[in-house]
Amino acid sequence: MTRHSAAPRSNPVQAARPARPAQAAQAAQAAQAAQAARPDRPDRPDRPGAFSLWGDVAHPATLTVADLRQGWAQHRADVVFDCATDGPQHHSFTGPLLREVVAGTLPGFDPRRRKERSRFLLAVSGGDGHHAVLSWAEIDADFGDAPVLLATRMDGEALDAAGTQLVVPSDRCGARYVSAVTGIWIGSCRTP
């Protein structure tokens, strides 16, 4: 069960899984190499709990958990998800909606054109090397309207030192719950 509530704030800042561990390691290395090869990728933030928003955006940014708490409305999500190693997890997260934070970077699409928005992706990286991908359409209010959060608190505890956590309340498994987010790349899905 998921419950959401919001308090208004002002904004100061503008798969399939491989079957074997060896394949998973190769896929992770390839993803890291591809991301590192991008010339617009910023250096990893040196402030504790900081993360970068970059890619096809007009205003790349580096934010902290404190920035997320002060700059956007805070929403609450009480979630239950299955963890492959620890079984069912019950947590309460608070933080801004991912779409509102990313919108401040002015992604490279015309916001009035739905088809343009629907081809954008968000690749989220965590401090432990974990990565997850979401489509803009999943979080866009005109499409999936998923209340995906960048958590500033977990179970009432501030995440300033640990870093923000990606929270996908609609997911039944915890694979896209990325801890200690270090970067969010925003870009267009290229036609193969």
Side-chain angles (χ1 to χ4, degrees), residues 58-127:
H59 301 293
T62 298
L63 301 173
T64 64
V65 172
D67 295 330
L68 294 174
R69 193 177 303 109
Q70 295 168 4
W72 289 270
Q74 301 293 292
H75 300 261
R76 180 178 166 152
D78 295 320
V79 300
V80 177
F81 59 87
D82 287 325
C83 175
T85 56
D86 296 325
Q89 301 292 302
H90 301 263
H91 293 289
S92 177
F93 292 98
T94 304
L97 293 172
L98 173 64
R99 68 173 166 250
E100 292 176 358
V101 175
V102 172
T105 66
L106 299 179
F109 54 72
D110 181 344
R112 298 168 295 182
R113 301 187 60 164
R114 289 184 184 133
K115 286 186 180 180
E116 272 192 45
R117 296 189 329 248
S118 70
R119 64 184 172 82
F120 267 66
L121 301 173
L122 298 99
V124 181
S125 301

Side-chain angles (χ1 to χ4, degrees), residues 2 8 13 29 56 59 68 81 87 105 109-110 112 120 128 130 135 150 153 165 178-180 182-184 186:
T2 304
V13 185
Q29 287 174 343
D56 187 2
H59 301 293
L68 294 174
F81 59 87
T105 66
F109 54 72
D110 181 344
R112 298 168 295 182
F120 267 66
D128 63 356
H130 184 79
S135 71
L150 288 173
R153 293 179 138 340
Q165 180 165 335
V178 178
S179 299
T182 58
I184 301 174
I186 302 105

Side-chain angles (χ1 to χ4, degrees), residues 138-184:
E138 282 182 86
I139 63 173
D140 191 302
D142 287 339
F143 295 96
D145 198 22
V148 176
L149 302 180
L150 288 173
T152 60
R153 293 179 138 340
M154 181 173 97
D155 299 329
E157 298 293 322
L159 293 174
D160 294 76
T164 189
Q165 180 165 335
L166 181 70
V167 176
V168 188
S170 58
D171 283 6
R172 292 185 317 162
C173 83
R176 293 198 300 175
Y177 281 66
V178 178
S179 299
V181 171
T182 58
I184 301 174

Side-chain angles (χ1 to χ4, degrees), residues 2-26:
T2 304
R3 184 182 70 189
H4 304 281
S5 60
R9 300 278 173 119
S10 62
N11 180 350
V13 185
Q14 295 240 339
R17 181 177 73 184
R20 291 185 283 265
Q23 289 174 322
Q26 286 177 329

